[in-house]
């Protein structure tokens, strides 16, 4: 349908659209009231609502009324013959990309048929790419598509044939999703290709997130690399294209470009060489405009334990855990601490023909061949708890629950472990002992925790020292005091390493990340404390007395090994007291 709300086009209207439709007997008053109520609920355009409700059958019934309402020319392309000379006025790639078509040339202007001529941003983007002055007219979307098929011989039913140019190809994945090959994108001056360059640079710099943030009289773009944000050097004139950039991303993610008042989430896929990237998009309204964050995920890359830089002791612990016939393994930590990556490393080791693996996640972040993966969908009421109930009827050996958020999900997971299943899941807590407190606070009985949970694992990601500019030195005395509170045997002459900063690491001194762990096993002593409902602090102190390594102790081992810096370990292991 046409885009009425996404526009700065403000000619004087003769009347409201609904009133005009009633006056012309296209719909009756009761139908209009029903449609208006539905429009408030769905936040969609009135014309789209009328079509969905079946009150009108096709756009031809409403488009002439809209054209009359705004004094805008309306054309029926099925009755119009377009000459070859006119077709040459607009490049084929623009016609296919934006689904518009030149109709004629009048008074030195190219009459351009569009289904959304009110979208000023789209008109400006097209005008930037052509020399001729454009005169937009309103036309049916179907007739535009049919005319493109008729005059250009394009198979519009397939994504590959709809958007195709000599150097810029949109390929179709096995799921029939469009995947843009960034390395083959064109160099034309368009917002789309500007974003392609942003995406390609983000991938090349190993960014996990792209932040596009508006502020007063400007626009900021930042990459998150190795957990830290840094500015992207972009022209100051980018501030004039804030809305165009957001609209382009929304189109790629199949979101509503006319909606700017509520948060929106979507996704699209890109291709760089042989690597397919899953781009998760989130828009958030702010006082200066919409802020966008794009998470970049290589969903086909699952890390092995070796690639996670685990030491022999850590590998041994994980191998023992995944060989358990049943029980629950919880991995805890804040968002972005790599919990899901660790879980999939475990699942990858278990992924054999003899085992049935089912996962339920929000969202599904990795594609594991041989496993059945389920996406949580609140709109269809597919929750973790509901999905987990159904999973148990499918005879799984191993179940991965993306996150335990409520008591219902926790109870079902624990019952599944009691009936002989191996369960992997995550909790959002600061340390391993906090996982115990979280389950008890949810309402899980202590005896169920001690009889089913095998281990709580807390983890953090720390940055690795850049190998190109790595230098040795002495530890800072103020850092020495922080480590001595938890780590025994820390000496003033301990050799530590830092990165001076170079071109390879973008002058940060770090390149890549590794993981540090805290393993809390539910042995006899810890289980007795849980049954007595002891606090997380008491449980942690008891576990430390029995030999549990804390996150900071694990981090110190990485420091001594020359993998990371004392400052980095202290940064990710700070507790409430500031340590």
């Amino acid at each position: 349908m046409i885009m009425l709300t996404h526009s700065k086009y403000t000619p004087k209207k003769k009347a409201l659209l609904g009133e005009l439709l009633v006056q012309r007997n296209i719909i009756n008053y009761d139908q209009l009231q029903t449609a208006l109520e539905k429009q408030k609920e769905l936040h969609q355009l009135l014309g789209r609502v009328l079509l969905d409700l079946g009150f009108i059958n096709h756009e031809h019934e409403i488009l002439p009324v809209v054209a009359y309402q705004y004094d805008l020319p309306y054309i029926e392309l099925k009755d119009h013959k377009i000459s070859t000379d006119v077709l040459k006025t607009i490049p084929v790639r623009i016609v296919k990309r934006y689904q518009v078509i030149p109709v004629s040339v009048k008074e030195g202007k190219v009459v351009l048929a569009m289904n959304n001529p009110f979208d000023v941003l789209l008109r400006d983007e097209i005008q930037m790419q052509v020399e001729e002055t454009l005169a937009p007219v309103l036309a049916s979307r179907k007739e535009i598509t049919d005319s493109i098929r008729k005059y250009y011989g394009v198979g519009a039913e397939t994504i590959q044939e709809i958007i195709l140019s000599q150097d810029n190809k949109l390929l179709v994945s096995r799921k029939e999703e469009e995947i843009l090959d960034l390395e083959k994108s064109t160099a034309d001056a368009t917002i789309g290709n500007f974003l392609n360059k942003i995406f390609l640079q983000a991938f090349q710099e190993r960014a996990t997130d792209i932040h596009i943030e508006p502020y007063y009289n400007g626009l900021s773009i930042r990459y998150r690399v190795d957990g830290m944000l840094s500015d992207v050097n972009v022209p100051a004139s980018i501030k004039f294209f804030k809305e165009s950039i957001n609209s382009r991303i929304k189109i790629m993610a199949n979101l509503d470009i006319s909606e700017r008042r509520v948060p929106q989430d979507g996704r699209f896929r890109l291709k760089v060489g042989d690597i397919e990237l899953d781009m998760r998009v989130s828009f958030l309204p702010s006082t200066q405009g919409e802020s966008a964050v794009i998470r970049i995920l290589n969903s086909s890359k699952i890390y092995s334990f070796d690639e996670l830089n685990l030491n022999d002791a850590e590998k041994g612990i994980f191998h023992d855990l995944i060989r358990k016939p049943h029980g629950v393994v919880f991995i805890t930590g804040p968002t972005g601490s790599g919990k899901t990556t660790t879980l999939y490393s475990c699942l990858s080791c278990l992924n054999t023909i003899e085992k049935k693996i089912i996962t339920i996640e929000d969202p599904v972040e990795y594609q594991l061949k041989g496993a059945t993966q389920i996406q949580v969908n609140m709109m269809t009421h597919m929750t973790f708890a509901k999905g987990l109930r159904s999973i148990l009827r499918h005879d799984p050996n191993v179940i991965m629950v993306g996150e335990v958020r409520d008591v219902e999900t926790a109870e079902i997971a624990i019952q599944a472990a009691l009936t002989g299943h191996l369960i992997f899941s995550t909790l959002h807590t600061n340390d391993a002992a906090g996982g115990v407190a979280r389950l008890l606070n949810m309402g899980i009985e202590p005896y169920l925790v001690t009889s089913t949970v095998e281990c709580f694992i807390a983890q953090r990601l720390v940055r690795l020292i850049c190998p190109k500019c790595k230098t040795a030195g002495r530890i800072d005395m103020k850092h020495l005091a922080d480590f001595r509170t938890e780590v025994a045997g820390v000496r003033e002459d301990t050799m530590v390493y830092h990165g001076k900063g170079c071109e390879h690491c973008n002058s940060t001194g770090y390149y890549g990340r590794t993981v540090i762990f805290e393993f809390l096993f539910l042995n006899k002593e810890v289980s007795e404390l849980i049954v007595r409902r002891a606090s997380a602090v008491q449980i942690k102190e008891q576990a430390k007395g029995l030999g549990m390594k804390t996150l900071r102790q694990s981090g110190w081992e990485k420091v001594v090994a020359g993998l990371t810096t004392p400052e980095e370990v202290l940064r990710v292991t700070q507790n409430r007291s500031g340590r």
Side-chain angles (χ1 to χ4, degrees), residues 305 310-321 329-332 342 346 431-433 454-459 515-523 526 539-540 542-544 546-551 553-554 557-558:
F305 289 140
L310 305 188
N311 59 38
D312 291 339
E314 292 165 344
K315 289 179 187 176
I317 291 174
F318 274 106
H319 282 300
D320 288 342
L321 288 173
V329 176
F330 282 109
I331 298 184
T332 75
T342 302
C346 296
D431 57 14
E454 296 291 339
C455 186
F456 289 94
I457 306 171
Q459 73 171 62
V515 62
I516 57 176
F517 294 106
E518 180 178 285
F519 297 96
L520 175 63
F521 292 97
L522 272 64
N523 51 34
V526 171
I539 293 172
K540 184 172 184 176
Q542 177 69 55
K544 286 167 61 178
L546 296 171
M548 181 189 80
K549 290 181 182 177
T550 65
L551 285 168
Q553 290 170 330
S554 177
E557 292 181 351
K558 304 287 186 183

Short mmCIF file of all heavy atoms in Angstrom, two decimals, residues 305 310-321 329-332 342 346 431-433 454-459 515-523 526 539-540 542-544 546-551 553-554 557-558:
data_model
loop_
_atom_site.label_atom_id
_atom_site.label_comp_id
_atom_site.label_asym_id
_atom_site.label_seq_id
_atom_site.Cartn_x
_atom_site.Cartn_y
_atom_site.Cartn_z
N PHE A 305 36.40 -26.53 21.64
CA PHE A 305 37.05 -26.18 22.90
C PHE A 305 38.46 -25.64 22.66
O PHE A 305 38.94 -24.77 23.39
CB PHE A 305 37.09 -27.38 23.84
CG PHE A 305 35.73 -27.76 24.38
CD1 PHE A 305 35.35 -29.08 24.52
CD2 PHE A 305 34.82 -26.77 24.77
CE1 PHE A 305 34.11 -29.42 25.02
CE2 PHE A 305 33.57 -27.10 25.27
CZ PHE A 305 33.22 -28.43 25.39
N LEU A 310 40.73 -22.93 25.79
CA LEU A 310 40.63 -23.55 27.11
C LEU A 310 41.93 -24.26 27.44
O LEU A 310 42.57 -24.86 26.58
CB LEU A 310 39.47 -24.56 27.13
CG LEU A 310 38.08 -24.07 26.74
CD1 LEU A 310 37.05 -25.15 27.02
CD2 LEU A 310 37.71 -22.80 27.46
N ASN A 311 42.31 -24.21 28.72
CA ASN A 311 43.47 -24.99 29.13
C ASN A 311 43.06 -26.44 29.36
O ASN A 311 41.87 -26.79 29.29
CB ASN A 311 44.12 -24.38 30.38
CG ASN A 311 43.17 -24.30 31.56
OD1 ASN A 311 42.36 -25.18 31.80
ND2 ASN A 311 43.27 -23.20 32.32
N ASP A 312 44.02 -27.28 29.66
CA ASP A 312 43.73 -28.71 29.78
C ASP A 312 42.75 -29.01 30.90
O ASP A 312 41.88 -29.89 30.76
CB ASP A 312 45.05 -29.48 30.01
CG ASP A 312 45.95 -29.47 28.79
OD1 ASP A 312 45.43 -29.24 27.68
OD2 ASP A 312 47.17 -29.69 28.94
N ALA A 313 42.87 -28.29 32.02
CA ALA A 313 41.96 -28.53 33.14
C ALA A 313 40.53 -28.16 32.76
O ALA A 313 39.58 -28.90 33.08
CB ALA A 313 42.42 -27.73 34.35
N GLU A 314 40.35 -27.03 32.08
CA GLU A 314 39.01 -26.60 31.66
C GLU A 314 38.41 -27.56 30.64
O GLU A 314 37.22 -27.88 30.70
CB GLU A 314 39.08 -25.18 31.10
CG GLU A 314 39.41 -24.13 32.16
CD GLU A 314 39.83 -22.79 31.58
OE1 GLU A 314 40.16 -22.74 30.37
OE2 GLU A 314 39.83 -21.80 32.32
N LYS A 315 39.24 -28.01 29.70
CA LYS A 315 38.76 -29.00 28.73
C LYS A 315 38.30 -30.27 29.44
O LYS A 315 37.25 -30.84 29.10
CB LYS A 315 39.85 -29.34 27.73
CG LYS A 315 40.20 -28.24 26.75
CD LYS A 315 41.31 -28.70 25.83
CE LYS A 315 41.80 -27.57 24.94
NZ LYS A 315 42.96 -28.00 24.11
N GLY A 316 39.08 -30.70 30.43
CA GLY A 316 38.71 -31.91 31.16
C GLY A 316 37.39 -31.77 31.88
O GLY A 316 36.56 -32.69 31.88
N ILE A 317 37.17 -30.59 32.49
CA ILE A 317 35.90 -30.35 33.18
C ILE A 317 34.72 -30.42 32.23
O ILE A 317 33.70 -31.08 32.51
CB ILE A 317 35.94 -28.99 33.91
CG1 ILE A 317 36.92 -29.03 35.07
CG2 ILE A 317 34.54 -28.60 34.39
CD1 ILE A 317 37.15 -27.69 35.74
N PHE A 318 34.84 -29.75 31.08
CA PHE A 318 33.74 -29.75 30.13
C PHE A 318 33.49 -31.15 29.56
O PHE A 318 32.34 -31.56 29.38
CB PHE A 318 34.01 -28.75 29.00
CG PHE A 318 33.57 -27.36 29.31
CD1 PHE A 318 34.50 -26.37 29.61
CD2 PHE A 318 32.22 -27.02 29.36
CE1 PHE A 318 34.10 -25.08 29.90
CE2 PHE A 318 31.81 -25.73 29.66
CZ PHE A 318 32.76 -24.76 29.93
N HIS A 319 34.55 -31.87 29.25
CA HIS A 319 34.37 -33.23 28.72
C HIS A 319 33.69 -34.13 29.75
O HIS A 319 32.85 -34.98 29.39
CB HIS A 319 35.71 -33.81 28.29
CG HIS A 319 36.20 -33.29 26.98
ND1 HIS A 319 35.50 -33.45 25.79
CD2 HIS A 319 37.33 -32.61 26.66
CE1 HIS A 319 36.16 -32.89 24.80
NE2 HIS A 319 37.27 -32.37 25.30
N ASP A 320 34.02 -33.95 31.03
CA ASP A 320 33.34 -34.74 32.07
C ASP A 320 31.86 -34.38 32.16
O ASP A 320 31.00 -35.26 32.33
CB ASP A 320 34.02 -34.51 33.42
CG ASP A 320 35.39 -35.17 33.52
OD1 ASP A 320 35.67 -36.07 32.70
OD2 ASP A 320 36.18 -34.75 34.39
N LEU A 321 31.56 -33.08 32.05
CA LEU A 321 30.17 -32.64 32.16
C LEU A 321 29.31 -33.13 31.02
O LEU A 321 28.17 -33.56 31.22
CB LEU A 321 30.11 -31.10 32.25
CG LEU A 321 30.59 -30.46 33.55
CD1 LEU A 321 30.63 -28.95 33.41
CD2 LEU A 321 29.68 -30.87 34.70
N VAL A 329 23.31 -28.36 33.49
CA VAL A 329 24.51 -27.53 33.53
C VAL A 329 24.07 -26.10 33.22
O VAL A 329 23.54 -25.83 32.14
CB VAL A 329 25.57 -27.99 32.53
CG1 VAL A 329 26.77 -27.03 32.54
CG2 VAL A 329 26.03 -29.42 32.85
N PHE A 330 24.28 -25.20 34.17
CA PHE A 330 23.92 -23.79 33.97
C PHE A 330 25.18 -22.98 33.71
O PHE A 330 26.17 -23.10 34.45
CB PHE A 330 23.22 -23.22 35.21
CG PHE A 330 21.77 -23.61 35.33
CD1 PHE A 330 21.36 -24.50 36.31
CD2 PHE A 330 20.83 -23.08 34.47
CE1 PHE A 330 20.03 -24.86 36.43
CE2 PHE A 330 19.49 -23.43 34.57
CZ PHE A 330 19.09 -24.32 35.56
N ILE A 331 25.16 -22.13 32.68
CA ILE A 331 26.22 -21.16 32.45
C ILE A 331 25.67 -19.79 32.75
O ILE A 331 24.61 -19.40 32.26
CB ILE A 331 26.74 -21.25 31.00
CG1 ILE A 331 27.35 -22.63 30.75
CG2 ILE A 331 27.78 -20.17 30.75
CD1 ILE A 331 27.98 -22.80 29.39
N THR A 332 26.36 -19.04 33.60
CA THR A 332 25.87 -17.74 34.06
C THR A 332 26.79 -16.63 33.61
O THR A 332 27.98 -16.84 33.35
CB THR A 332 25.73 -17.71 35.59
OG1 THR A 332 27.03 -17.59 36.18
CG2 THR A 332 25.06 -18.96 36.12
N THR A 342 29.67 -20.87 24.29
CA THR A 342 30.16 -22.01 25.07
C THR A 342 29.18 -23.17 25.03
O THR A 342 29.59 -24.33 24.89
CB THR A 342 30.40 -21.57 26.53
OG1 THR A 342 31.34 -20.50 26.56
CG2 THR A 342 30.95 -22.72 27.35
N CYS A 346 29.71 -27.16 23.54
CA CYS A 346 29.33 -28.41 24.21
C CYS A 346 28.44 -29.25 23.30
O CYS A 346 28.64 -30.47 23.15
CB CYS A 346 28.61 -28.11 25.52
SG CYS A 346 29.62 -27.28 26.76
N ASP A 431 27.92 -14.31 39.26
CA ASP A 431 28.89 -15.37 39.50
C ASP A 431 28.16 -16.70 39.59
O ASP A 431 26.93 -16.78 39.45
CB ASP A 431 29.71 -15.10 40.76
CG ASP A 431 28.83 -14.91 42.00
OD1 ASP A 431 27.63 -15.26 41.94
OD2 ASP A 431 29.35 -14.42 43.02
N ALA A 432 28.92 -17.77 39.80
CA ALA A 432 28.33 -19.10 39.81
C ALA A 432 27.39 -19.30 40.99
O ALA A 432 26.29 -19.86 40.84
CB ALA A 432 29.45 -20.14 39.82
N ALA A 433 27.82 -18.84 42.17
CA ALA A 433 26.96 -18.99 43.35
C ALA A 433 25.65 -18.22 43.20
O ALA A 433 24.62 -18.61 43.76
CB ALA A 433 27.71 -18.53 44.60
N GLU A 454 24.33 -30.29 37.98
CA GLU A 454 25.69 -30.82 38.06
C GLU A 454 26.70 -29.72 38.35
O GLU A 454 27.65 -29.92 39.10
CB GLU A 454 26.06 -31.51 36.74
CG GLU A 454 25.23 -32.73 36.42
CD GLU A 454 25.51 -33.90 37.36
OE1 GLU A 454 26.59 -33.91 37.97
OE2 GLU A 454 24.64 -34.78 37.49
N CYS A 455 26.50 -28.55 37.71
CA CYS A 455 27.50 -27.49 37.86
C CYS A 455 26.92 -26.15 37.44
O CYS A 455 26.12 -26.08 36.51
CB CYS A 455 28.71 -27.82 36.99
SG CYS A 455 30.12 -26.70 37.18
N PHE A 456 27.31 -25.11 38.16
CA PHE A 456 27.06 -23.74 37.74
C PHE A 456 28.40 -23.18 37.24
O PHE A 456 29.41 -23.26 37.94
CB PHE A 456 26.56 -22.87 38.90
CG PHE A 456 25.16 -23.19 39.34
CD1 PHE A 456 24.94 -24.08 40.38
CD2 PHE A 456 24.07 -22.59 38.73
CE1 PHE A 456 23.65 -24.37 40.82
CE2 PHE A 456 22.78 -22.87 39.15
CZ PHE A 456 22.56 -23.76 40.18
N ILE A 457 28.39 -22.64 36.04
CA ILE A 457 29.62 -22.12 35.43
C ILE A 457 29.43 -20.65 35.14
O ILE A 457 28.59 -20.28 34.32
CB ILE A 457 29.97 -22.86 34.12
CG1 ILE A 457 30.01 -24.37 34.35
CG2 ILE A 457 31.29 -22.35 33.55
CD1 ILE A 457 30.13 -25.18 33.05
N ALA A 458 30.21 -19.80 35.80
CA ALA A 458 30.20 -18.37 35.47
C ALA A 458 31.32 -18.10 34.47
O ALA A 458 32.38 -18.74 34.53
CB ALA A 458 30.41 -17.54 36.73
N GLN A 459 31.10 -17.18 33.54
CA GLN A 459 32.16 -16.88 32.57
C GLN A 459 32.15 -15.42 32.17
O GLN A 459 31.14 -14.73 32.30
CB GLN A 459 32.03 -17.78 31.34
CG GLN A 459 30.89 -17.46 30.40
CD GLN A 459 30.99 -18.27 29.11
OE1 GLN A 459 30.93 -19.50 29.13
NE2 GLN A 459 31.12 -17.58 27.99
N VAL A 515 38.05 -16.66 27.04
CA VAL A 515 37.05 -16.79 28.10
C VAL A 515 37.71 -17.22 29.40
O VAL A 515 38.70 -17.96 29.40
CB VAL A 515 35.95 -17.80 27.69
CG1 VAL A 515 36.52 -19.19 27.48
CG2 VAL A 515 34.81 -17.82 28.69
N ILE A 516 37.21 -16.71 30.52
CA ILE A 516 37.63 -17.15 31.85
C ILE A 516 36.41 -17.73 32.55
O ILE A 516 35.28 -17.30 32.33
CB ILE A 516 38.26 -16.02 32.67
CG1 ILE A 516 37.29 -14.84 32.82
CG2 ILE A 516 39.57 -15.57 32.04
CD1 ILE A 516 37.83 -13.72 33.72
N PHE A 517 36.64 -18.73 33.42
CA PHE A 517 35.54 -19.48 34.02
C PHE A 517 35.63 -19.52 35.53
O PHE A 517 36.70 -19.34 36.13
CB PHE A 517 35.56 -20.94 33.52
CG PHE A 517 35.26 -21.10 32.05
CD1 PHE A 517 36.29 -21.41 31.18
CD2 PHE A 517 33.97 -20.97 31.56
CE1 PHE A 517 36.03 -21.59 29.83
CE2 PHE A 517 33.71 -21.13 30.22
CZ PHE A 517 34.74 -21.44 29.34
N GLU A 518 34.46 -19.82 36.13
CA GLU A 518 34.33 -20.12 37.55
C GLU A 518 33.38 -21.31 37.65
O GLU A 518 32.20 -21.20 37.31
CB GLU A 518 33.77 -18.90 38.29
CG GLU A 518 33.58 -19.08 39.78
CD GLU A 518 33.06 -17.79 40.41
OE1 GLU A 518 33.88 -16.86 40.57
OE2 GLU A 518 31.85 -17.72 40.70
N PHE A 519 33.90 -22.47 38.10
CA PHE A 519 33.12 -23.70 38.15
C PHE A 519 32.67 -23.98 39.58
O PHE A 519 33.50 -24.16 40.48
CB PHE A 519 33.94 -24.89 37.65
CG PHE A 519 34.37 -24.78 36.21
CD1 PHE A 519 35.62 -24.29 35.88
CD2 PHE A 519 33.52 -25.19 35.18
CE1 PHE A 519 36.03 -24.19 34.56
CE2 PHE A 519 33.92 -25.09 33.86
CZ PHE A 519 35.17 -24.59 33.54
N LEU A 520 31.36 -24.03 39.79
CA LEU A 520 30.80 -24.37 41.09
C LEU A 520 30.14 -25.75 40.99
O LEU A 520 29.04 -25.88 40.43
CB LEU A 520 29.78 -23.33 41.56
CG LEU A 520 29.03 -23.64 42.86
CD1 LEU A 520 30.01 -23.71 44.03
CD2 LEU A 520 27.94 -22.62 43.13
N PHE A 521 30.81 -26.78 41.54
CA PHE A 521 30.25 -28.12 41.56
C PHE A 521 29.44 -28.32 42.83
O PHE A 521 29.83 -27.83 43.90
CB PHE A 521 31.36 -29.17 41.48
CG PHE A 521 32.09 -29.19 40.17
CD1 PHE A 521 33.29 -28.51 40.02
CD2 PHE A 521 31.57 -29.87 39.08
CE1 PHE A 521 33.96 -28.51 38.81
CE2 PHE A 521 32.23 -29.88 37.86
CZ PHE A 521 33.42 -29.20 37.73
N LEU A 522 28.34 -29.04 42.70
CA LEU A 522 27.46 -29.24 43.85
C LEU A 522 27.88 -30.50 44.60
O LEU A 522 27.22 -31.55 44.56
CB LEU A 522 25.99 -29.31 43.41
CG LEU A 522 25.29 -27.95 43.32
CD1 LEU A 522 25.93 -27.07 42.25
CD2 LEU A 522 23.81 -28.12 43.00
N ASN A 523 29.03 -30.39 45.29
CA ASN A 523 29.49 -31.50 46.10
C ASN A 523 28.71 -31.54 47.42
O ASN A 523 27.78 -30.75 47.64
CB ASN A 523 31.00 -31.38 46.35
CG ASN A 523 31.38 -30.01 46.88
OD1 ASN A 523 30.62 -29.38 47.62
ND2 ASN A 523 32.56 -29.53 46.49
N VAL A 526 28.71 -28.13 49.54
CA VAL A 526 27.92 -27.08 48.90
C VAL A 526 26.44 -27.43 48.91
O VAL A 526 25.58 -26.56 49.17
CB VAL A 526 28.41 -26.84 47.45
CG1 VAL A 526 27.47 -25.90 46.70
CG2 VAL A 526 29.83 -26.27 47.45
N ILE A 539 27.89 -19.63 50.12
CA ILE A 539 28.16 -20.75 49.21
C ILE A 539 29.48 -20.53 48.48
O ILE A 539 30.29 -21.45 48.34
CB ILE A 539 27.00 -20.91 48.21
CG1 ILE A 539 25.72 -21.36 48.93
CG2 ILE A 539 27.37 -21.90 47.10
CD1 ILE A 539 24.49 -21.36 48.06
N LYS A 540 29.71 -19.31 48.04
CA LYS A 540 30.95 -19.01 47.31
C LYS A 540 32.17 -19.18 48.21
O LYS A 540 33.18 -19.76 47.79
CB LYS A 540 30.89 -17.60 46.75
CG LYS A 540 32.10 -17.24 45.89
CD LYS A 540 31.92 -15.89 45.19
CE LYS A 540 33.10 -15.60 44.27
NZ LYS A 540 32.90 -14.34 43.49
N GLN A 542 32.45 -21.09 50.83
CA GLN A 542 32.64 -22.53 51.08
C GLN A 542 33.29 -23.20 49.88
O GLN A 542 34.22 -24.00 50.02
CB GLN A 542 31.28 -23.18 51.35
CG GLN A 542 31.33 -24.70 51.55
CD GLN A 542 32.03 -25.08 52.84
OE1 GLN A 542 31.66 -24.63 53.92
NE2 GLN A 542 33.05 -25.93 52.76
N ALA A 543 32.82 -22.86 48.67
CA ALA A 543 33.38 -23.46 47.46
C ALA A 543 34.84 -23.05 47.27
O ALA A 543 35.68 -23.86 46.87
CB ALA A 543 32.55 -23.04 46.25
N LYS A 544 35.17 -21.78 47.58
CA LYS A 544 36.57 -21.33 47.47
C LYS A 544 37.45 -22.09 48.45
O LYS A 544 38.60 -22.45 48.13
CB LYS A 544 36.65 -19.83 47.74
CG LYS A 544 36.11 -18.97 46.60
CD LYS A 544 35.92 -17.52 47.02
CE LYS A 544 37.22 -16.87 47.45
NZ LYS A 544 37.03 -15.44 47.79
N LEU A 546 37.07 -25.05 49.30
CA LEU A 546 37.23 -26.41 48.77
C LEU A 546 38.01 -26.44 47.46
O LEU A 546 38.12 -27.50 46.84
CB LEU A 546 35.84 -27.04 48.56
CG LEU A 546 35.02 -27.25 49.84
CD1 LEU A 546 33.59 -27.67 49.49
CD2 LEU A 546 35.68 -28.31 50.73
N GLY A 547 38.51 -25.26 47.01
CA GLY A 547 39.38 -25.24 45.84
C GLY A 547 38.78 -24.64 44.59
O GLY A 547 39.41 -24.71 43.52
N MET A 548 37.60 -24.03 44.67
CA MET A 548 37.02 -23.42 43.47
C MET A 548 37.82 -22.19 43.06
O MET A 548 38.12 -21.33 43.90
CB MET A 548 35.57 -23.03 43.72
CG MET A 548 34.89 -22.42 42.50
SD MET A 548 33.25 -21.72 42.84
CE MET A 548 33.72 -20.13 43.55
N LYS A 549 38.16 -22.08 41.78
CA LYS A 549 38.82 -20.90 41.25
C LYS A 549 37.76 -19.86 40.88
O LYS A 549 36.81 -20.17 40.17
CB LYS A 549 39.64 -21.23 40.01
CG LYS A 549 40.87 -22.07 40.27
CD LYS A 549 41.62 -22.33 38.97
CE LYS A 549 42.84 -23.21 39.21
NZ LYS A 549 43.53 -23.53 37.93
N THR A 550 37.95 -18.66 41.36
CA THR A 550 37.03 -17.58 41.00
C THR A 550 37.37 -17.05 39.62
O THR A 550 38.40 -17.39 39.03
CB THR A 550 37.11 -16.43 42.02
OG1 THR A 550 38.42 -15.85 41.95
CG2 THR A 550 36.85 -16.94 43.43
N LEU A 551 36.50 -16.19 39.11
CA LEU A 551 36.75 -15.58 37.81
C LEU A 551 38.07 -14.81 37.81
O LEU A 551 38.84 -14.86 36.84
CB LEU A 551 35.59 -14.64 37.44
CG LEU A 551 34.29 -15.30 37.00
CD1 LEU A 551 33.16 -14.27 36.97
CD2 LEU A 551 34.44 -15.94 35.63
N GLN A 553 40.70 -15.33 39.72
CA GLN A 553 41.81 -16.28 39.75
C GLN A 553 42.04 -16.90 38.38
O GLN A 553 43.18 -17.07 37.95
CB GLN A 553 41.53 -17.37 40.79
CG GLN A 553 41.60 -16.87 42.22
CD GLN A 553 41.09 -17.89 43.22
OE1 GLN A 553 40.22 -18.71 42.91
NE2 GLN A 553 41.62 -17.84 44.45
N SER A 554 40.96 -17.22 37.69
CA SER A 554 41.08 -17.74 36.34
C SER A 554 41.70 -16.71 35.41
O SER A 554 42.54 -17.02 34.56
CB SER A 554 39.70 -18.17 35.81
OG SER A 554 39.77 -18.61 34.47
N GLU A 557 45.49 -16.43 35.82
CA GLU A 557 46.22 -17.47 35.09
C GLU A 557 46.45 -17.06 33.64
O GLU A 557 47.51 -17.33 33.06
CB GLU A 557 45.45 -18.79 35.14
CG GLU A 557 45.40 -19.42 36.53
CD GLU A 557 44.67 -20.75 36.53
OE1 GLU A 557 44.05 -21.10 35.48
OE2 GLU A 557 44.69 -21.44 37.57
N LYS A 558 45.48 -16.38 33.05
CA LYS A 558 45.65 -15.87 31.68
C LYS A 558 46.68 -14.75 31.63
O LYS A 558 47.41 -14.61 30.65
CB LYS A 558 44.30 -15.36 31.14
CG LYS A 558 43.17 -16.37 31.16
CD LYS A 558 43.31 -17.44 30.11
CE LYS A 558 42.07 -18.33 30.08
NZ LYS A 558 42.19 -19.44 29.11
#
